[in-house]
Amino acid sequence: MKIGIIGAGAIGLLFSYYLSEKNQITIYTRSKRQAELIQSKGICLMDGETTNIVRVEAVPFELWTGSEDLTIITVKQYHLPTILPVLTNQINDWGSLLFLQNGMGHLKWLSELKAPRIYLGSVEHGAARLNEHTVSHNGYGLTKVAVYRGSEDHLRSLVGATQARFPISLEDDYQAILLTKLIVNCIINPLTATFQVTNGTLVSNPYYYLIVTSLFEEIVNILNIHNREEHFANVLSVCQKTTANQSSMLKDIAAGRETEIDAILGYVLEEANRKQMQAPLTHNYYNLIKGKEFKEEDFR
């Protein structure tokens, strides 16, 4: 299958590496420089003590024409508004789009897209981009995908062409898989970024654990989640499985980058406002992260 991957961050590089074994991959980068670097050096994957390189086609995003069978969008949610107009204008009648963003804020934009097939997914792998063509695979997990619009034929082809070390599961309900990932992100990302700790510390430190439980209860109340014990057990499991990992939000804050807090806690606050519910903890941690992002020069 011909697959285009928009975005050459950690997840874009990771998917390009693993999917290249059985698919024809083209990765679309933000800059011409990065495309040329990947084109000449390939994508390098570091997994523990092992390093491997694969060759893929790499071109700048402005050259994307929607000619692939499936295009996977791996950019962060706050970058979507700049590429959605291009996706709307260029997609063909047989193509399909798979969105792999954190949070659920992007759902409000999808109805405007003309693509005949739109898919949504969540990624459980841990990955970090070490440079413009190198990604470190820090933790294994499962990628769950589901249909938002149209037929599932391209998703079935994707699932059938993956390898054991990079499994992809076709699910029935996109809302369920996004909610599960959203709840995990709502707890781990803002708390680790605020306290500047690894994921496992949220469980091992009894004082942080109390905050985890309080924030979890507020969020599941707002989202009207019924199977709370299952979701809480999942949050704890992710913390334990990725105990030494730093969350993406913690890394973004440390590097002075914009975070995905609007896509994560921002979505929960929108739901709270819509339902006229109080969300004091969610407001506090949302503002804490926005405060860490704050740059005075942006307001001069």
Side-chain angles (χ1 to χ4, degrees), residues 18-19 21-23 157-168:
Y18 281 105
L19 296 183
E21 182 180 14
K22 297 180 181 179
N23 303 280
S157 297
L158 178 67
V159 171
T162 53
Q163 52 177 285
R165 291 173 67 83
F166 199 74
I168 299 178

Side-chain angles (χ1 to χ4, degrees), residues 3-7 15 19 70-75 96-100 158:
I3 297 177
I5 296 179
I6 297 175
F15 270 72
L19 296 183
L70 173 67
T71 297
I72 304 176
I73 299 96
T74 68
V75 301
S96 52
L97 302 174
L98 169 58
F99 290 86
L100 296 178
L158 178 67

Side-chain angles (χ1 to χ4, degrees), residues 1-6 15 19 23-26 28 64 66-73 91-92 94-99 117-119 145 153-159 168:
M1 184 164 59
K2 291 183 178 180
I3 297 177
I5 296 179
I6 297 175
F15 270 72
L19 296 183
N23 303 280
Q24 182 179 333
I25 302 296
T26 302
Y28 294 90
W64 181 79
S67 60
E68 290 87 5
D69 302 306
L70 173 67
T71 297
I72 304 176
I73 299 96
I91 194 68
N92 53 52
W94 67 86
S96 52
L97 302 174
L98 169 58
F99 290 86
R117 302 173 189 83
I118 297 178
Y119 309 136
V145 294
D153 50 352
H154 287 164
L155 276 189
R156 289 195 174 278
S157 297
L158 178 67
V159 171
I168 299 178

Side-chain angles (χ1 to χ4, degrees), residues 12-72:
L13 293 175
L14 191 72
F15 270 72
S16 297
Y17 177 89
Y18 281 105
L19 296 183
S20 66
E21 182 180 14
K22 297 180 181 179
N23 303 280
Q24 182 179 333
I25 302 296
T26 302
I27 186 168
Y28 294 90
T29 65
R30 186 187 304 182
S31 69
K32 181 180 179 181
R33 177 184 178 279
Q34 187 181 14
E36 292 173 345
L37 191 63
I38 294 173
Q39 191 74 24
S40 63
K41 294 191 174 183
I43 293 176
C44 177
L45 180 112
M46 298 182 66
D47 186 359
E49 301 298 320
T50 304
T51 300
N52 291 297
I53 295 174
V54 298
R55 299 286 178 174
V56 301
E57 189 73 16
V59 294
F61 170 64
E62 58 262 27
L63 299 181
W64 181 79
T65 62
S67 60
E68 290 87 5
D69 302 306
L70 173 67
T71 297
I72 304 176

